[in-house]
């Protein structure tokens, strides 16, 4: 079954044309957009997490609020930078949000990406021990977080209070949440690592490598290697794989005013990120029929079970709900999607 969701970067800024001028605007509109998306039959509402920027930063209050206001739509992140997290406190927050939503939480986590702050996680108080990289720290925290949501004992008990010497697990627990953790993998090798750890795969619109083939083919190769590594590990459940795409169907004069000049982005780009080469996937902008045909031919779209559509959140709820409705009616059926209407 093919699923689609929206992915919001959660930008807010008091500039001309912005309908999310404050943090309050973007939080409340995110809830409203998730409600509208559920009515359309969209499968997921996902949010980026960034620190020290005018973007969404603390996901769990938002996810819990959406969970309380909706009944079907998946709610998730893409991705939480684990360098910044207290793994055990995050486990408590995640379990609570998952219970409020009735088990609809899908958490994308990772090492993170380039950010406005120099050594931002250190500002939060998380300094890797000598000889340990930021990536190592993020993976270690992820391991502890997953153990905690899986019910492992993580704290020494006070026998006078508990009457037992058994290690204590975090509370609350939300059964099944451990199967709904996704690793944001930026390369084929990290995709294989995610499979070895038993996590779902979340792949973005860039990969931190370039072999000269089109982005969708490189990403499809990442997905194939991930699934092969998963099978080799012998995990019992079937993993999930998501990718993200920028999809803007142009059907009105307003669409043309905002996005009509973006045809130059309808091709892959190669650049540098974090000091290394990266290949960036193209945007899909144009007439709905044209976009539908292009997405149907996208190798990674066909390989993934979930496609996350980035939305221009600063244009407000009405604009983005209409955009999602157009995609649902005229684009998504071409990739085998049907609406989730309960």
């Amino acid at each position: 079954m093919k699923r689609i969701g929206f992915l919001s970067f959660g930008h807010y800024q008091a500039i001309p044309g912005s309908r999310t001028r404050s943090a309050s605007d973007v939080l409340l509109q995110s809830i409203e957009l998730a409600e509208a998306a559920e009515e359309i039959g969209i499968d997921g509402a996902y949010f980026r997490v960034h620190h020290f920027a005018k973007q969404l930063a603390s996901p769990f209050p938002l996810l819990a609020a959406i969970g309380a206001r909706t009944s079907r739509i998946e709610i998730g992140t893409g991705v939480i930078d684990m360098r910044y997290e207290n793994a055990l406190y995050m486990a408590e927050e995640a379990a609570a949000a998952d219970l409020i939503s009735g088990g609809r939480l899908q958490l994308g986590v990772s090492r993170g990406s380039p950010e406005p702050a120099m050594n931002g996680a250190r500002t939060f108080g998380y300094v890797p021990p000598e000889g340990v990289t930021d990536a190592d720290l993020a993976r270690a925290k992820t391991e502890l977080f997953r153990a905690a949501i899986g019910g492992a004992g993580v704290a020494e008990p006070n026998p006078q209070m508990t009457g037992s010497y058994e290690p204590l697990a975090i509370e609350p627990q939300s059964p099944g949440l451990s199967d709904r953790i996704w690793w944001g993998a930026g390369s084929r090798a990290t995709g294989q690592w995610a499979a070895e750890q038993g996590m779902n795969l979340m792949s973005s619109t860039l990969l931190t490598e370039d072999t000269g083939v089109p982005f969708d083919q490189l990403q499809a190769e990442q997905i194939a290697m991930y699934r092969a590594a998963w099978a080799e590990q012998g995990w019992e459940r079937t993993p999930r794989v998501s990718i993200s795409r920028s999809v803007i169907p142009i059907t009105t004069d307003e669409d043309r005013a905002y996005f009509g000049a973006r045809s130059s982005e309808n091709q892959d780009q190669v650049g540098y990120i974090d000091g290394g080469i990266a290949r960036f996937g193209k945007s899909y902008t144009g007439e709905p029929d044209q976009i539908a045909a292009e997405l149907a031919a996208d190798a990674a779209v066909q390989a993934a079970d979930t496609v996350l559509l980035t939305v221009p959140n600063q244009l407000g709820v009405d604009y983005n709900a209409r955009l999602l409705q157009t995609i649902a009616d005229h684009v998504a059926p071409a990739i085998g999607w049907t609406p989730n209407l309960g």
Side-chain angles (χ1 to χ4, degrees), residues 99-181:
L99 290 168
I100 289 169
S101 73
R104 290 180 281 133
L105 197 61
Q106 304 283 341
L107 284 182
V109 301
S110 193
R111 171 245 185 257
S113 58
E115 54 183 326
M118 293 290 291
N119 301 316
R122 289 166 172 78
T123 305
F124 271 42
Y126 301 118
V127 180
E130 188 173 350
V132 175
T133 67
D134 281 352
D136 293 334
L137 179 64
R139 292 184 179 195
K141 288 187 174 188
T142 301
E143 182 179 7
L144 178 56
F145 166 73
R146 294 180 66 213
I149 63 172
V154 294
E156 181 181 356
N158 178 352
Q160 292 180 322
M161 294 288 292
T162 65
S164 170
Y165 289 91
E166 292 296 319
L168 300 175
I170 63 106
E171 292 291 348
Q173 289 284 316
S174 186
L177 177 57
S178 58
D179 289 341
R180 288 179 269 116
I181 307 303

Side-chain angles (χ1 to χ4, degrees), residues 228-242:
W230 184 279
E232 186 175 333
Q233 292 297 315
W235 302 118
E236 292 183 1
R237 69 180 178 88
T238 300
R240 288 185 59 185
V241 174
S242 75

Side-chain angles (χ1 to χ4, degrees), residues 5-339:
F6 73 81
L7 174 62
S8 172
F9 282 51
H11 292 286
Y12 59 92
Q13 196 171 1
I15 58 174
S18 173
R19 295 177 175 85
T20 54
R21 304 180 67 81
S22 68
S24 175
D25 289 341
V26 76
L27 286 163
L28 296 175
Q29 289 187 30
S30 294
I31 298 169
E32 293 170 8
L33 183 57
E35 291 179 294
E38 182 173 81
E39 291 182 9
I40 294 167
I42 301 299
D43 299 287
Y46 287 74
F47 301 90
R48 287 288 295 269
V49 179
H50 283 287
H51 301 284
F52 301 108
K54 290 185 181 297
Q55 293 180 251
L56 294 169
S58 50
F60 292 106
L62 173 61
L63 296 175
I66 293 173
R69 293 267 290 267
T70 58
S71 60
R72 298 186 307 276
I73 197 167
E74 294 180 341
I75 53 177
T77 54
V79 293
I80 295 174
D81 186 337
M82 292 301 292
R83 294 174 297 172
Y84 283 84
E85 297 298 320
N86 178 309
L88 299 184
Y89 183 56
M90 177 178 165
E92 292 179 340
E93 289 187 304
D98 195 41
L99 290 168
I100 289 169
S101 73
R104 290 180 281 133
L105 197 61
Q106 304 283 341
L107 284 182
V109 301
S110 193
R111 171 245 185 257
S113 58
E115 54 183 326
M118 293 290 291
N119 301 316
R122 289 166 172 78
T123 305
F124 271 42
Y126 301 118
V127 180
E130 188 173 350
V132 175
T133 67
D134 281 352
D136 293 334
L137 179 64
R139 292 184 179 195
K141 288 187 174 188
T142 301
E143 182 179 7
L144 178 56
F145 166 73
R146 294 180 66 213
I149 63 172
V154 294
E156 181 181 356
N158 178 352
Q160 292 180 322
M161 294 288 292
T162 65
S164 170
Y165 289 91
E166 292 296 319
L168 300 175
I170 63 106
E171 292 291 348
Q173 289 284 316
S174 186
L177 177 57
S178 58
D179 289 341
R180 288 179 269 116
I181 307 303
W182 308 58
W183 185 257
S187 68
R188 291 169 297 173
T190 52
Q192 288 177 299
W193 179 84
E196 292 165 2
Q197 305 306 307
M199 287 185 281
N200 300 313
L201 175 66
M202 184 171 280
S203 190
S204 185
T205 52
L206 70 90
L207 290 171
T208 54
E209 55 187 334
D210 180 40
T211 64
V213 303
F215 176 80
D216 68 311
Q217 294 179 24
L218 181 62
Q219 194 171 43
E221 183 179 338
Q222 179 197 39
I223 294 169
M225 293 171 68
Y226 165 81
R227 289 193 171 125
W230 184 279
E232 186 175 333
Q233 292 297 315
W235 302 118
E236 292 183 1
R237 69 180 178 88
T238 300
R240 288 185 59 185
V241 174
S242 75
I243 62 170
S244 61
R245 291 290 184 268
S246 175
V247 177
I248 305 289
I250 294 181
T251 61
T252 68
D253 288 342
E254 186 179 24
D255 298 333
R256 293 182 186 91
Y258 283 124
F259 302 108
R262 289 182 60 174
S263 59
S264 62
E265 299 177 20
N266 288 355
Q267 58 185 356
D268 291 355
Q269 303 289 329
V270 176
Y272 290 87
I273 188 169
D274 258 357
I277 197 167
R279 179 169 282 268
F280 300 79
K282 67 180 183 179
S283 298
Y284 290 86
T285 307
E287 297 295 325
D289 290 349
Q290 167 203 334
I291 293 174
E294 291 176 349
L295 283 174
D298 184 308
V301 167
Q302 293 304 316
D305 62 76
T306 302
V307 180
L308 302 181
L309 309 168
T310 59
V311 294
N313 77 278
Q314 284 188 273
L315 295 183
V317 175
D318 290 344
Y319 183 90
N320 282 290
R322 181 177 64 77
L323 180 149
L324 292 173
Q325 186 72 67
T326 300
I327 291 173
D329 291 342
H330 303 293
V331 178
I335 62 172
W337 176 81
T338 56

